[in-house]
């Protein structure tokens, strides 16, 4: 059984920063591709950032240069540092994990189809 729990959401003005954290339990974490999804009202859930077990990160074009994903394997955590936030970043953010086989498709829906995600944390940018 895999459990992912997010923390760190909140409200911030445009241009500000927030840091999201996610703790993972269960056996998947060590070899998994982990990262973040988000879903804005009325929109589909989309991939934001992913990082594989070797620490190689990938990002959606909309957040490149502003967001940084990292993982701490010793503590089974994954973080998302969000800088230069825009109103368009407003969404519920979900921590997600998927097996290594599906890592290349993390930003294209793999976690939603084949992986796990948490309950989400709200980020509001005004």
């Amino acid at each position: 059984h895999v459990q992912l729990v997010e923390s760190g959401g909140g409200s911030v003005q445009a241009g500000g920063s927030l840091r999201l954290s996610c703790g993972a339990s269960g056996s998947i974490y060590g070899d998994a591709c982990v990262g973040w999804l988000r879903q804005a009202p009325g929109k589909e859930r989309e991939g934001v950032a992913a990082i594989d077990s070797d620490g190689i990160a990938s990002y959606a074009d909309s957040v490149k240069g502003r967001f940084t994903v990292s993982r701490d394997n010793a503590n089974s955590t994954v973080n998302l540092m969000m800088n230069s936030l825009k109103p368009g970043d407003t969404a519920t953010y979900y921590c997600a994990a998927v097996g290594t086989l599906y890592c290349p498709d993390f930003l294209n829906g793999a976690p939603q189809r084949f992986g796990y995600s948490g309950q989400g944390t709200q980020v509001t940018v005004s």
Side-chain angles (χ1 to χ4, degrees):
H1 179 68
V2 175
Q3 187 173 16
L4 302 167
V5 180
E6 305 94 340
S7 62
S11 297
V12 65
Q13 291 188 338
S17 299
L18 280 175
R19 184 175 182 267
L20 305 182
S21 294
C22 172
S25 62
S27 61
I28 191 174
Y29 184 86
D31 295 329
C33 194
V34 293
W36 296 87
L37 315 173
R38 70 184 180 186
Q39 187 167 18
K43 295 187 176 181
E44 293 187 354
R45 195 168 297 189
E46 63 177 0
V48 175
I51 185 166
D52 68 14
S53 57
D54 293 324
I56 297 173
S58 56
Y59 299 92
D61 288 343
S62 59
V63 306
K64 280 181 182 177
R66 300 188 298 121
F67 290 12
T68 302
V69 63
S70 61
R71 64 190 290 168
D72 180 349
N73 292 336
N75 294 301
S76 298
T77 58
V78 56
N79 303 304
L80 185 68
M81 185 68 210
M82 305 184 293
N83 296 318
S84 302
L85 283 161
K86 306 174 181 180
D89 296 317
T90 295
T92 300
Y93 284 71
Y94 299 87
C95 179
V98 69
T100 299
L101 178 66
Y102 301 105
C103 197
D105 293 320
F106 188 103
L107 299 181
N108 296 316
Q112 294 91 309
R113 296 192 299 273
F114 307 115
Y116 306 88
S117 60
Q119 293 298 307
T121 185
Q122 179 66 35
V123 172
T124 302
V125 185
S126 59

